[in-house]
Amino acid sequence: MKLMTRFSLSHSGIVILTLLISFFFIYEGARLTYQRQARLSQEQQISDLALAAKESLVQHEDVAVLNFMKSVVRNPLVVYAAYSNFSSGTRTVLPQTLDKELLANWQKSKPADSSAGGSGQPNTFRLSNGMEIVEWSSTPRLEGHAAGLVRLGFSKAALEKDLAGQTS
């Protein structure tokens, strides 16, 4: 009887341990997959904004990129969208309440020069209200020269909350 009890307990423990390990790997795999998907989505958004800016620069019309920025800022994960046109000196940040604070932060840290598309790695910093920002930037190029700069700022807390909501 004792041998049968020990056998049952040890095998039950192995089965439970195997199930827990399997659940952990499935959960972490789903979380990592969603994280990768969210990052690709952010890269695609900055790439789309850079393309809109490039088209705007070619057409010498900033209204198209402004309309695109307005639609991007409606995303609850996006804190701000910014656009700079080097040739005309135009600089726009939506929402405009963040304009001065972001400009001061950008003076401290310049983004890495990148080709049209994402810069590859986001920059993270904290606003004066304590909100952590994950910022993507891109430099649209015309005829081989940097013609502008676009930036998208995402709320790190909102990204983490979205990730938790997707994986729970």
Side-chain angles (χ1 to χ4, degrees), residues 3-156:
L3 183 60
M4 182 67 159
T5 304
R6 278 193 287 173
F7 178 79
S8 298
L9 289 176
S10 67
H11 280 69
S12 297
I14 290 173
V15 168
I16 290 172
L17 183 62
T18 304
L19 288 173
L20 288 174
I21 290 172
S22 298
F23 174 75
F24 173 76
F25 281 122
I26 290 170
Y27 176 79
E28 280 301 307
R31 195 176 71 73
L32 289 174
T33 300
Y34 185 74
Q35 251 180 344
R36 192 174 310 119
Q37 180 185 359
R39 182 181 174 89
L40 289 173
S41 173
Q42 293 169 25
E43 288 176 355
Q44 185 63 47
Q45 283 184 326
I46 190 66
S47 180
D48 291 347
L49 182 56
L51 181 60
K54 187 173 183 178
E55 289 174 1
S56 175
L57 291 165
V58 167
Q59 297 172 358
H60 302 290
E61 182 62 50
D62 292 339
V63 174
V65 75
L66 182 62
N67 288 336
F68 188 84
M69 288 169 57
K70 285 179 181 178
S71 69
V72 168
V73 173
R74 288 188 189 124
N75 181 342
L77 302 176
V78 176
V79 177
Y80 66 86
Y83 165 68
S84 298
N85 181 338
F86 297 157
S87 63
S88 68
T90 307
R91 182 177 47 82
T92 306
V93 176
L94 291 178
Q96 292 178 342
T97 55
L98 295 174
D99 192 22
K100 289 181 183 176
E101 181 177 356
L102 292 173
L103 180 61
N105 185 47
W106 294 335
Q107 296 298 332
K108 291 183 220 171
S109 64
K110 302 280 186 198
D113 192 30
S114 64
S115 61
S119 64
Q121 292 297 323
N123 179 30
T124 56
F125 63 93
R126 190 178 298 271
L127 293 176
S128 62
N129 65 3
M131 181 185 295
E132 269 193 272
I133 300 294
V134 176
E135 179 185 82
W136 290 85
S137 63
S138 181
T139 307
R141 296 182 173 278
L142 289 178
E143 300 171 2
H145 301 290
L149 180 65
V150 292
R151 300 174 191 241
L152 274 180
F154 294 87
S155 167
K156 190 170 184 177

